[in-house]
Amino acid sequence: MANTKSSQYKTNSLTLIGAISMGTAVIIGAGIFALTGQIAELAGPAFPLAFLVAAIIASFSAYSYVKLSNAYPSAGGIAMFLKEAYGVGTITAVGALLMSFSMIINESLVARTFGTYVLRLFDGAQEAVLVPVLGVGLLTLAFIINISGNRLIDRLSLVLSAIKIGGIALLSLAGLWVSGFSFEGLKAPTQASGEYGIVGFMAGVALAILAYKGFTTITNSGSEIKEPHKNVGRAIIYSIAICVALYMLMAFAVAGNLSLPEIIAAKNFALAEAAMPAFGDFGLISVVFLAIIATVSGVIASVFAVSRMLAMLTDMKLIPHKHFGMPGGIQKHTLVYTIVIAMLLTIFFDLSRIASLGAIFYIIMDIGVHWGVFKNLRHKIDAKPWILLTAIALDVVVLTAFIIMKAQSDVFVLYVSVVLLLLIVSFERFYLGKVRQQA
């Protein structure tokens, strides 16, 4: 009964430019606005370099996804890749759910970022109450737009991404010019000169990887993008290239206008704070406007992708599905579930913990994808083993550093991560066992 209503996808409903816009929308929506200050807190004065190292790691990761997308374009994206690598079973289901949850976590991260930046216009008044309220409002808007169909998403993503990329680039260049290229934020305070070691830097890189992971949402458009065997891979490569240039530009602009302690003190709204010394209220309003554009487009694109992945998992009988009396097909229902879970996370978790959960889940899933390709698919898709093993090694290094840092500063988030991982694995083993018995 769960699959009586089809998760329908419209072939050729997304262009290459639309897919690139969707990818950059998700990446920039979470990365620049939500994570710059948090990465600086971990990596210290080398935080712009953390963005660059993360881009290199993301590029190694992208290799597997480009190869898989060219061979197996699908609306299920990573879910289908894991199926090809591991078959229909627990590993595929757990990996796909980790990716789905990391994407939903990202939506709540972006939603809270939206609320945080909007309130900068009002001196951050009543943040504890209004940030989640505004975040829930954004998620509601994303639901309404997604329910309207792909063409609206394609066009809206293109327009919003153009405004966002152009605006951030111009503001960053202007900020660098006004600062006189001083890069005050790249200097560690004397009393903290010994605090930022290699472990902290690599932990910052782990968060910065989360800032790039939006490129994976493009893989969920394989059934809808034009010429998917060519264009899914192209969209991934172009999205990463655009975003690394923009990230580095913005990171140096922030470092040019704020000291490191100031960046860390304003870690949840570092870009808005960085605009004040150079441009005053005009800079603040401009950054908030761009943050609103970035977060709106990011949530819309992310919801678009994750709802399709969950629909594919339902079609593959890897997760259960209940209609709860709702009209429409599975795709519409998974859209509702995605929004509801994101709203709950937005209400109950702060930005730092949301980002940490997302980073841990994503990197674990990423390792699983690379290992599956290396072990079972590298000959079929002509993937180079040394690139796959390098991607795995880099993921392991940054995840280990991140866990070490969190064990020292916020062990609670590690407990939550372990509990959620155990729950996901236990649930999937129980559910798939039940499905096999019924079959």
Side-chain angles (χ1 to χ4, degrees):
M1 294 297 292
N3 295 322
T4 56
K5 296 184 180 181
S6 173
S7 51
Q8 299 170 350
Y9 310 99
K10 296 181 180 180
T11 305
N12 295 329
S13 59
L14 278 176
T15 63
L16 172 60
I17 294 177
I20 294 170
S21 300
M22 185 172 63
T24 55
V26 177
I27 296 172
I28 298 172
I32 279 292
F33 293 94
L35 298 175
T36 300
Q38 295 186 46
I39 292 168
E41 185 177 32
L42 292 170
F47 75 93
L49 183 60
F51 279 111
L52 180 59
V53 173
I56 294 171
I57 295 174
S59 297
F60 275 96
S61 290
Y63 177 80
S64 291
Y65 296 98
V66 170
K67 286 287 188 180
L68 288 165
S69 297
N70 290 340
Y72 312 110
S74 163
I78 289 167
M80 186 57 68
F81 301 161
L82 289 166
K83 178 188 174 185
E84 294 293 338
Y86 296 106
V88 178
T90 302
I91 296 177
T92 295
V94 170
L97 280 180
L98 285 178
M99 184 60 198
S100 298
F101 281 126
S102 75
M103 292 166 70
I104 295 172
I105 287 167
N106 179 71
E107 291 159 17
S108 63
L109 171 70
V110 176
R112 286 194 70 99
T113 301
F114 169 80
T116 300
Y117 272 81
V118 168
L119 290 181
R120 300 321 299 165
L121 297 174
F122 307 98
D123 296 323
Q126 298 183 350
E127 284 192 8
V129 175
L130 293 180
V131 165
V133 169
L134 289 168
V136 168
L138 173 60
L139 291 167
T140 303
L141 175 64
F143 172 78
I144 293 170
I145 292 173
N146 269 271
I147 212 78
S148 302
N150 288 5
R151 287 190 179 275
L152 179 59
I153 296 168
D154 191 350
R155 293 170 183 170
L156 193 60
S157 293
L158 177 59
V159 172
L160 294 181
S161 291
I163 295 171
K164 174 174 55 180
I165 292 170
I168 291 174
L170 286 173
L171 201 62
S172 298
L173 288 169
L176 281 171
W177 180 265
V178 171
S179 72
F181 300 90
S182 63
F183 305 124
E184 184 68 22
L186 302 185
K187 302 173 185 176
T190 303
Q191 68 273 20
S193 58
E195 288 183 9
Y196 303 105
I198 186 63
V199 175
F201 176 78
M202 294 309 296
V205 170
L207 271 191
I209 289 173
L210 180 63
Y212 287 101
K213 84 172 188 65
F215 79 83
T216 58
T217 62
I218 298 169
T219 66
N220 297 335
S221 305
S223 291
E224 297 156 306
I225 192 171
K226 295 178 179 178
E227 297 184 78
H229 290 280
K230 292 192 304 182
N231 285 338
V232 173
R234 288 177 178 177
I236 289 172
I237 293 168
Y238 294 155
S239 294
I240 292 176
I242 291 169
C243 290
V244 67
L246 207 59
Y247 276 22
M248 294 300 294
L249 190 61
M250 180 60 85
F252 281 117
V254 170
N257 287 281
L258 294 177
S259 66
L260 184 61
E262 288 172 332
I263 296 171
I264 295 172
K267 64 180 180 179
N268 290 340
F269 47 90
L271 301 194
E273 195 72 12
M276 291 292 288
F279 305 109
D281 289 340
F282 172 77
L284 174 63
I285 293 170
S286 298
V287 169
V288 171
F289 172 75
L290 290 173
I292 291 171
I293 295 293
T295 50
V296 168
S297 61
V299 168
I300 290 169
S302 181
V303 168
F304 175 89
V306 74
S307 64
R308 278 146 184 77
M309 181 185 292
L310 291 175
M312 179 62 73
L313 290 175
T314 302
D315 287 343
M316 293 163 64
K317 296 184 179 180
L318 290 175
I319 59 173
H321 181 76
K322 296 290 184 182
H323 295 298
F324 296 111
M326 291 186 291
I330 292 172
Q331 187 177 321
K332 296 293 191 297
H333 302 162
T334 55
L335 179 60
V336 174
Y337 305 151
T338 298
I339 291 295
V340 169
I341 296 171
M343 285 179 174
L344 292 174
L345 287 170
T346 301
I347 293 169
F348 293 110
F349 283 83
D350 64 23
L351 277 173
S352 179
R353 284 177 170 166
I354 290 171
S356 298
L357 284 172
I360 292 169
F361 282 6
Y362 171 73
I363 294 174
I364 291 173
M365 181 282 308
D366 198 51
I367 292 170
V369 170
H370 299 317
W371 177 250
V373 174
F374 174 78
K375 185 179 179 182
N376 300 318
L377 294 177
R378 69 179 187 272
H379 298 299
K380 292 182 181 179
I381 65 175
D382 192 29
K384 297 184 183 301
W386 73 269
I387 298 180
L388 300 172
L389 292 176
T390 301
I392 292 171
L394 291 171
D395 276 348
V396 169
V397 169
V398 296
L399 179 60
T400 301
F402 189 72
I403 290 172
I404 291 172
M405 288 297 292
K406 284 298 169 183
Q408 297 172 355
S409 62
D410 187 12
V411 72
F412 175 75
V413 79
L414 298 182
Y415 292 148
V416 172
S417 299
V418 170
V419 169
L420 289 176
L421 281 170
L422 290 175
L423 286 174
I424 290 171
V425 172
S426 300
F427 170 78
E428 282 299 335
R429 289 179 65 87
F430 169 77
Y431 174 71
L432 293 177
K434 189 176 178 181
V435 169
R436 293 190 189 100
Q437 287 179 352
Q438 292 175 346

